Each structure stands twice: as C-alpha cells, then as structure tokens.
Amino acid sequence: MTAALESPVRRIGWRRWLPIAAVITFLLISAVGMLLFLGVDMGPANLAVGLTAAVVPVPLLVASFLWLDRYEPEPIRYLAFCFAWGAAIATSVALAVNTGSALLFDRIGLPESLVAVLVAPFIEELMKALAPILLVWRRRREWSGITDGIVYCGMSALGFAMVENVLYLGKHGYATGVEEFGPATGLQNLFLIFIVRILFTGFAHPLFSAMTGIGLGIAARSGDRRVRWLAPIAGLLLAMLLHGLFNLLPTLSVSLAQPYIMLYGYLGFMVPFFFAVVGFAIALRSWEGRLTERILPFYVRAGWFSPPEVAALGSLARRHSARHWARRVAGEAGQKAMRNFQFAATQLALLRDGMNRGLHTDPRDLHKNATEEHRLLTSMQGYRDAFANRDPQTPRAFWDGLNYQVTFPDGQTRTVPAPAEPVVPVPVRLAPAFPVYAPPAYGFPGYGPPPGYGGYGGYHYGMPSYGQPNYGPPQQYYAPPPQYYAPPYGPPVISSAPPFPQPPAQPEGPPQQQP
C-alpha cells in the first residue's frame, strides 16, 4: 500500500528532473566536443592562449548585463543556460554550417567572403536566439519585460562571442604569427586582434542579439497572440540584418581596396547605434523599475501598502536608502529583510501587471496567480517583522487606505491626510498571522485591507509608550477597481462584508505601556 502511494510521487519527480538532466548532459557533451575540436584544430598551446585572451572581457560584460537587471534579477541557472548554449551549441552549429557553406561556395565559384554576409548572420543569430526562445516557451513567468529579453539574449551572445574570439585570437592571431616569424610575432598579432575584436567591436554580438531580445520581451508581456508571434520574428530579422550589414563593411573594404568604407561605416553607424541602444536599455530599465509606482497603488487603496513604501521602491537610489535605513535600525538581518521585501514587491507588481494585461487565460494559470499573490503578501509581512518596531524617531501610525492614523504624544490618535509627496515612512499595519482564506475558483483573490488586530503585525516607528496599541480596523473597505478583473471573468462580486474576519472590539482606556 505504501509503495503504491509513493510511486506517483517518484514518477512526478523523475518527470521533473529528467528534462533538466538531459539539458545539462547535452550542454556538457557539446562543450567538451567543442573543446576537443578546437584543441585538435588549433593545438593545445594555441587553444590555451586564445582561451585566456577571450575570457578576459567576459566578467566585465556579464557584470554589465547583471547591472542592467538589478530590479528583478533573473535566476542564475537560466543565465548560465543561455551563456552555455551560446558557447557550446550555437557555435558548434554555426561553425558547421559556415564551413559547409564555404566549401559549397568555393565549388560553385563564389567568393568565400560572401559566407560572412549571406550565411553567417542568419545561422548565428538564429542559433543564439534559440535558448531565450526556449525560455519564453517553457518559463514565460520568468520574463518581466524587454530588459529580460536583452539580458537573456545578451548572455547567449556573450557565450558565442567568447568561443568565436578563441578562434580568431588563438588560431588566426597567435598561431599564424608563430608559424610565420615566431612567438614574438604571434603575440603581436594576438594583441592587434584583441584590440580590434574585443575593444573596438566586442559589443557587436550582444548588440545584434539585443534586437531579438527586444522582440521576445515585447512578446512575453503581451496578451495579443499576433504580437507574441510577430514581435520575436521582427526582432530576429532585424538582428540578422544588422549582423549582415556589419559583416558587409569589411568585405567591401577588402574587395574594393577602400579601407575608409569600414571606418565610415563603423564610426558613422555602428558606434552611434550602439550608444543609442545602450541609452534605450538604461531608460527602459528605469521605466520598468517604476512599475511598482504604477501598479502597487492598487494595494495602497486597499491598505496593504502606504504611499511612502511605494515611493521608496521607485528607483535604485531610493531602494538603497531604504536598505541603509533598515540596516541602521535592525542590523544585517533588517537589511536582508528589506532587500527581500523590495524583491517581493517587484514580483507582486509584475504579477498584477500580468493580470491586468491578460497574459494568462488558462484556469490553472489564474489559480497559480491567485496563489502566488497570496504567497507574496504573506512573505512581505514576514519581511516587515524583521525591521519593525525599531526606529524610535517616528510615532506609531498606520495607513488605512486613505489617510494616516497617527498617535500623537498626548495619546490621541488623529487622522492625517497623505501629502502629495510621501516623505514620512509610515508603515502598513498588518495582522500577526495571515488569515486563511478561500480564493474564488480560478479567479483573482479579492483582497481587502488588512484587518486591525490587537497588536502591530506590520512595522511601526514609534516609541513604545506612544498611545494605545490598538486602533481597530479601518472604517471602510475598498473593492478592487474594475481593471482588477480581466473581461472574460465577468464583473466582480462586491460584498459589503470584509474578506477577513472582524477583530473583537477594543475597550477604551488610558494609553497602555508596551515593554
């Protein structure tokens, strides 16, 4: 009987881990095969020199993409998957196709240089894009927008460029120089190719793949089926076009003996276009980072966030200041809790934005969204507890969805309207334990404001002796706005009763001292 009950669990576990093990094995075999091919083709010494030189810029470029993805960092395993795919799979297929095309062109009497213009851009960009496309297909929930597309495609492009640079630096640079005039010439060639391919054009592959990433990012956050198909195709075609144009410049310069073609094309188009894309990516990161300011006010109206909390999530500088404050009042644990709180708030905003866009229509996905929203709100309450009740410089207060209820030094609780610019870190008052609720069947949970319990479940900043410790629930409960529900699910059922049980009435009396 026990074995019969345990066998389905084992099967589910095998079904979950078997594809992952297959992907890892496939990547490892491909990487080992690529290394063996390079070692045989170039020689171990030339491979070591080329690999060492090609790896030098990789940490800096990877750090740049991680910096771009600071608001909602992607899982390391997916970033590593894209990098390994570009380094092992994409390069192997592209190398085989380009080599075969060169032999075919030579047989039919076409110059081999045309492979770089007519074949390489298409096969290389397609292979680099396959890993992010697989992630969109199987892990669409991990995509929060265009920035994620740029990061995933950029990591795949970095892996591809690193292996390609091994060939150019180790074989065409160092090995060729050693064969002709000795190690000194080999090092000189290596240095010159490093300057050209790493310093001057090292941005090329990530720049081309960024076009595919923009298309995938648009598709991942769109509820329109046509956009989901057309945006990635358009981005991939643009990446191929840019790649072909970039390869055309040196081909024309050599065939026409006009070196200025490459110079003018590089300085007049590629460099300005690169800085334009960098500026777009930085501006886009800032815009996507302010998603919390556009989405979380819904929870402010329901009482789950206060305006200063939402304002403190609007930029990296504000988030850094909030973590600095949490460390000042609660030490390392408070700083870690604030970082987790910020990450959970970003995930909550992305989840709610996806609901508003109608990204998921399957009932199972809707149920997952409801469960995930519940989990995030619960975890954020726990994170607050780590830096709650720590700052003696702010009076006890809570946000009821419209105004602040602030306890003054005379023990009286007064209503204070929210200022136009939220500058006072007044917290949200939450329950000590998240109550169990029953979400509607495959729908969005109707969260009301947090109930008023006997103590402060959320964090407050007041002196322990300020006022009464209990305020009771807010006087009005706010139903979700119409856009909270997607059109296919009908109008919301608004009940006059709050979604959480009412707390017992608190007796009136003098202010109570808290330990």
Side-chain angles (χ1 to χ4, degrees), residues 212-244:
T212 306
I214 292 174
L216 291 174
I218 294 174
R221 301 298 294 179
S222 175
D224 192 327
R225 189 176 184 87
R226 294 167 298 180
V227 174
R228 293 181 183 180
W229 282 98
L230 295 178
I233 295 175
L236 181 59
L237 291 177
L238 182 57
M240 294 175 176
L241 180 63
L242 288 173
H243 196 157

Side-chain angles (χ1 to χ4, degrees), residues 472-496:
Q475 297 299 317
Q476 183 179 359
Y477 287 82
Y478 303 95
Q483 63 269 22
Y484 183 64
Y485 288 83
Y489 313 109
V493 179
I494 302 176
S495 173
S496 58

Side-chain angles (χ1 to χ4, degrees), residues 134-154:
L134 288 174
L135 287 180
V136 172
W137 176 41
R138 302 298 299 175
R139 294 293 185 268
R140 188 182 174 196
R141 289 179 175 271
E142 297 295 336
W143 289 65
S144 59
I146 299 176
T147 300
D148 287 359
I150 295 176
V151 171
Y152 281 130
C153 289

Side-chain angles (χ1 to χ4, degrees), residues 8-349:
V9 177
R10 290 196 186 100
R11 284 198 296 268
I12 293 175
W14 276 107
R15 290 173 183 174
R16 177 183 179 185
W17 291 106
L18 185 59
I20 299 177
V23 170
I24 295 176
T25 303
F26 180 60
L27 291 175
L28 287 176
I29 293 175
S30 301
V32 172
M34 175 57 69
L35 284 175
L36 290 176
F37 170 80
L38 293 177
V40 172
D41 183 55
M42 300 168 51
N46 299 329
L47 174 60
V49 173
L51 184 60
T52 302
V55 169
V56 169
V58 171
L60 178 61
L61 296 174
V62 170
S64 300
F65 282 106
L66 295 180
W67 173 84
L68 191 66
D69 194 38
R70 286 178 62 189
Y71 276 106
E72 202 262 334
E74 304 309 310
I76 297 297
R77 60 184 181 276
Y78 296 147
L79 297 177
F81 166 71
C82 289
F83 185 88
W85 178 280
I89 310 299
T91 51
S92 299
V93 176
L95 181 62
V97 172
N98 291 336
T99 303
S101 300
L103 295 176
L104 178 62
F105 278 32
D106 182 66
R107 181 172 301 177
I108 62 178
L110 293 177
E112 185 178 336
S113 59
L114 289 180
V115 174
V117 180
L118 301 180
V119 179
F122 297 94
I123 187 61
E124 291 179 7
E125 294 305 323
L126 177 61
M127 292 307 302
K128 288 187 294 181
L130 281 183
I133 289 174
L134 288 174
L135 287 180
V136 172
W137 176 41
R138 302 298 299 175
R139 294 293 185 268
R140 188 182 174 196
R141 289 179 175 271
E142 297 295 336
W143 289 65
S144 59
I146 299 176
T147 300
D148 287 359
I150 295 176
V151 171
Y152 281 130
C153 289
M155 293 298 294
S156 180
L158 287 181
F160 186 94
M162 182 188 72
V163 176
E164 189 180 59
N165 288 333
V166 172
L167 284 170
Y168 279 93
L169 294 169
K171 182 178 181 180
H172 302 296
Y174 182 77
T176 302
V178 170
E179 291 176 0
E180 291 181 353
F181 302 104
T185 304
L187 292 176
Q188 182 180 1
N189 290 350
L190 177 70
F191 182 73
L192 293 176
I193 294 179
F194 184 91
I195 293 177
V196 173
R197 287 199 57 87
I198 304 298
L199 299 183
F200 287 170
T201 62
F203 61 84
H205 276 292
L207 177 64
F208 306 147
S209 297
M211 303 299 104
T212 306
I214 292 174
L216 291 174
I218 294 174
R221 301 298 294 179
S222 175
D224 192 327
R225 189 176 184 87
R226 294 167 298 180
V227 174
R228 293 181 183 180
W229 282 98
L230 295 178
I233 295 175
L236 181 59
L237 291 177
L238 182 57
M240 294 175 176
L241 180 63
L242 288 173
H243 196 157
L245 177 62
F246 181 79
N247 289 351
L248 180 63
L249 294 176
T251 302
L252 290 178
S253 297
V254 173
S255 60
L256 300 178
Q258 295 291 337
Y260 290 108
I261 294 178
M262 180 63 189
L263 180 63
Y264 291 154
Y266 175 78
L267 296 179
F269 176 73
M270 296 306 300
V271 172
F273 186 75
F274 166 72
F275 283 108
V277 173
V278 170
F280 168 78
I282 295 175
L284 179 68
R285 185 190 75 157
S286 179
W287 185 84
E288 290 184 349
R290 292 195 297 271
L291 180 69
T292 52
E293 291 185 335
R294 298 190 296 272
I295 300 299
L296 293 185
F298 165 79
Y299 297 95
V300 172
R301 292 189 296 270
W304 289 102
F305 284 85
S306 67
E309 281 187 312
V310 175
L313 294 166
S315 68
L316 291 175
R318 296 178 189 176
R319 295 186 178 208
H320 176 75
S321 298
R323 293 193 297 269
H324 180 75
W325 169 85
R327 181 173 182 176
R328 178 175 63 83
V329 301
E332 294 290 342
Q335 184 182 32
K336 181 179 180 181
M338 177 62 77
R339 182 181 292 107
N340 293 334
F341 175 86
Q342 293 170 347
F343 182 70
T346 303
Q347 289 183 309
L348 182 64

Side-chain angles (χ1 to χ4, degrees), residues 356-373:
N356 294 342
R357 292 172 180 266
L359 299 184
H360 305 286
T361 57
D362 187 86
R364 291 173 296 180
D365 291 332
L366 297 177
H367 183 70
K368 287 181 181 179
N369 290 341
T371 304
E372 179 67 8
E373 187 177 35

